[in-house]
Amino acid sequence: MTILDELRGALRRAGVNALWISDPANVRAISGFTSGKDGRVLVTTEGATLYTDARYTVQAAGESSVPQFIARPPDTYLHAAAALKGLRVGFEADHLTVALLDDLRGHWPDSTLVPLRGVVQDFRIRKSAPELHSIRAAQRIADVAFAQVRPQIQPGMTEQDIALELELALRRAGAQSAFEIIVASGPNGAKPHGVASSRVIGSDELVTVDMGAQVDGYHSDMTRTVAVGNPSAELRRLYRAVLEAEEAAVAAVRPGMRAADLDRLARDLLTGHGLGEYFAHSLGHGVGLEVHEGPGLRGTSEDVLEPGMVITIEPGVYIPGVGGVRIEDLVLVTASGHEVLSHSEKEAL
């Protein structure tokens, strides 16, 4: 059964006859077209069509697994209108803008538009062998880049210096950065998503590096916190507590494990060290065509781990005025347990 066959079954269960796909990652997942931000896919019970414009005529013909219609709106909408007359048409409520929804309503007056969430994402959550090949390649490159740059994380370098060196290393290895690289030193470590700044790295500090590579549209995601000089006993205590929580959560990854229970395991360990209030985000997330996708590893998640899922495990503590620690591994859920895909060294402090 193909992903289109499975998707049509999901649409029947959702009570719609067709789906207008606008999310770039979902456009790629369904059609194979790698410039998804400039494409749309219409899936009906009879077939599927990729809509894009003349800039991509050759590319779409070479990449897309479904027929293409090359045009810009409003011709795009007019072409689809005849096939959708009198039908219930789902749209991606978590992506389509209000303005574009108004356009659809204006051009498809004889259709009933139905907001849907997560329909295609549910089929992306378990990775195929080719997808895993690309994710593994991305993580291998990230590991190599980190190993090359780690010796340069020294007093006198700026956070931006390190981020630039990491990005150059990724590029030289044939990848691009999966997201804006985080380098957070000293008190900046208290910012979970702090961008690399002009701050000069000082002595006896911790530096958090969050990075990933993108290969063939697929991502990796990894964080390491490293020591510069001789950090204080308190900073070492924070590091060891986060490392304990991270390793315990990774060890617990297996099919059938509830994502919420994994989050609770790591959170409880940090709470036992008096640090629970400083764990300011969820334990992790899925990784694939997007850096952040399902499943969600948070306390309120209803997701259950299955073989083929690729997730992050990334507990952290962030203390204003002091600094922070995050350690993150990329993990594949296997039939018998898990496989850690990130192999960059974790420091012993």
Side-chain angles (χ1 to χ4, degrees):
M1 181 178 291
T2 68
I3 188 171
L4 278 173
D5 292 329
E6 292 182 297
L7 180 56
R8 289 188 182 102
L11 298 184
R12 287 192 296 271
R13 292 189 293 273
V16 299
N17 311 105
L19 177 64
W20 180 254
I21 299 172
S22 57
D23 181 282
N26 292 340
V27 168
R28 168 158 183 177
I30 295 300
S31 69
F33 181 55
T34 59
S35 296
K37 65 182 178 62
D38 291 315
R40 304 289 185 268
V41 174
L42 176 65
V43 178
T44 67
T45 55
E46 286 77 30
T49 303
L50 168 67
Y51 292 92
T52 189
D53 63 69
R55 294 173 296 170
Y56 301 101
T57 302
V58 174
Q59 179 184 337
E63 293 179 344
S64 177
S65 59
V66 302
Q68 305 97 53
F69 184 82
I70 306 299
R72 289 180 179 271
D75 291 342
T76 297
Y77 304 138
L78 294 172
H79 178 269
L84 299 178
K85 187 174 182 179
L87 299 185
R88 290 172 57 83
V89 182
F91 65 89
E92 296 182 304
D94 47 2
H95 181 266
L96 197 69
T97 66
V98 173
L100 290 175
L101 178 58
D102 284 344
D103 288 345
L104 295 186
R105 286 174 172 152
H107 287 94
W108 300 343
D110 298 319
S111 302
T112 301
L113 295 175
V114 181
L116 298 177
R117 293 176 182 266
V119 177
V120 180
Q121 287 90 331
D122 287 346
F123 297 104
R124 290 170 39 204
I125 204 167
R126 293 168 296 279
K127 305 305 186 284
S128 66
E131 289 178 308
L132 289 174
H133 177 80
S134 296
I135 293 171
R136 289 179 188 276
Q139 183 55 54
R140 281 195 299 270
I141 289 174
D143 283 330
V144 169
F146 181 78
Q148 290 174 349
V149 176
R150 170 62 185 95
Q152 300 180 52
I153 305 178
Q154 298 292 339
M157 296 287 283
T158 70
E159 295 172 350
Q160 291 171 337
D161 291 335
I162 301 303
L164 177 59
E165 291 300 323
L166 287 167
E167 184 157 359
L168 288 172
L170 292 173
R171 291 282 187 175
R172 291 188 182 110
Q176 57 183 306
S177 183
F179 48 87
E180 187 172 7
I181 295 169
I182 294 172
V183 181
S185 63
N188 282 348
K191 305 172 185 177
H193 277 186
V195 299
S197 73
S198 59
R199 183 182 188 275
V200 177
I201 297 171
S203 299
D204 305 331
E205 293 185 341
L206 295 179
V207 180
T208 296
V209 176
D210 190 344
M211 61 177 294
Q214 182 190 118
V215 172
D216 298 328
Y218 288 86
H219 301 83
S220 68
D221 191 3
M222 175 188 73
T223 305
R224 292 294 184 263
T225 297
V226 303
V228 177
N230 185 29
S232 68
E234 177 61 9
L235 290 176
R236 291 173 182 270
R237 184 182 80 86
L238 301 183
Y239 181 90
R240 289 193 293 267
V242 172
L243 181 61
E244 178 187 348
E246 199 268 348
E247 292 182 338
V250 168
V253 172
R254 64 182 185 278
M257 185 72 174
R258 294 179 67 249
D261 290 341
L262 271 180
D263 181 276
R264 185 176 303 108
L265 185 158
R267 204 168 297 277
D268 286 350
L269 281 169
L270 289 174
T271 298
H273 287 283
L275 299 171
E277 66 181 294
Y278 301 113
F279 183 9
H281 52 73
S282 63
L283 179 65
H285 52 85
V287 178
L289 283 171
E290 297 176 285
V291 179
H292 292 84
E293 56 183 48
L297 277 68
R298 56 187 179 275
T300 58
S301 176
E302 297 182 359
D303 293 330
V304 177
L305 300 188
E306 300 178 33
M309 291 180 173
V310 177
I311 61 174
T312 65
I313 299 292
E314 49 178 310
V317 296
Y318 313 93
I319 303 178
V322 175
V325 177
R326 181 165 66 254
I327 302 171
E328 174 186 23
D329 277 316
L330 190 65
V331 182
L332 168 65
V333 184
T334 67
S336 59
H338 66 272
E339 176 189 351
V340 179
L341 303 181
S342 44
H343 299 293
S344 293
E345 182 180 357
K346 299 171 189 173
E347 301 196 2
L349 298 183

